[in-house]
Amino acid sequence: MSVQERKQRERVERERLIVATARELAEQQGWEAVTTRRLAERIEYSQPVLYSHFRGKREIIGAVALNGAAEMAAALRAATSAADGPRTRVTALARTYLDFAAHNPAVYDAMFQLDGGLAYADEDTPQPLKDAFAALLESLDEVAGGGVHPGVFTEVFWAALHGLATLTRAGRLSPEVAEPRVELLVDRLAVA
């Protein structure tokens, strides 16, 4: 291995460490706790080293969002591939999405609430975000219904899931009826 290859590998590893540490800190203490100074202390590198990878917190949030999108896409595909039939697939998709949001609140915020400098619904949208949307579309395409554009239907269903995830997390919805909410969403929107 050449010196250049080794340095590149070390750079990639440092970047992974920065992102993983930011995610961990955000999940434990919230995004307010994520600062370059605290990250530098935790990973035992200087702040200039952090800035050689990311221009600031916004780019770190964006990197966490991209990793989260890839994780979410994989989780959605795993859940839906194990389901049999459209209703079961869409129900698995909804539950998996809501579970991901509930178990990864800082990542979910990075993906959908915070400014990570990422373009959404645009030709410049990074591939992991496109892939996460595609993971939704793959299961929802078959239930969109005649005359309904599958992409638009997916956006509406996604918006409903996002609303449920956000309102549940904020304590605005009763946890006792979480499952009936998913069933109602699937019954009314996705399965004719």
Side-chain angles (χ1 to χ4, degrees), residues 49-63:
V49 170
L50 265 72
Y51 285 115
S52 75
H53 290 275
F54 299 100
R55 285 182 282 197
K57 184 174 176 177
R58 181 178 187 221
E59 284 188 4
I60 294 169
I61 290 169

Side-chain angles (χ1 to χ4, degrees), residues 58-73:
R58 181 178 187 221
E59 284 188 4
I60 294 169
I61 290 169
V64 170
L66 293 177
N67 286 351
E71 287 176 30
M72 178 184 274

Side-chain angles (χ1 to χ4, degrees), residues 102-115:
H103 293 100
N104 303 283
V107 173
Y108 192 81
D109 283 350
M111 292 168 64
F112 301 121
Q113 302 290 109
L114 302 174
D115 179 11

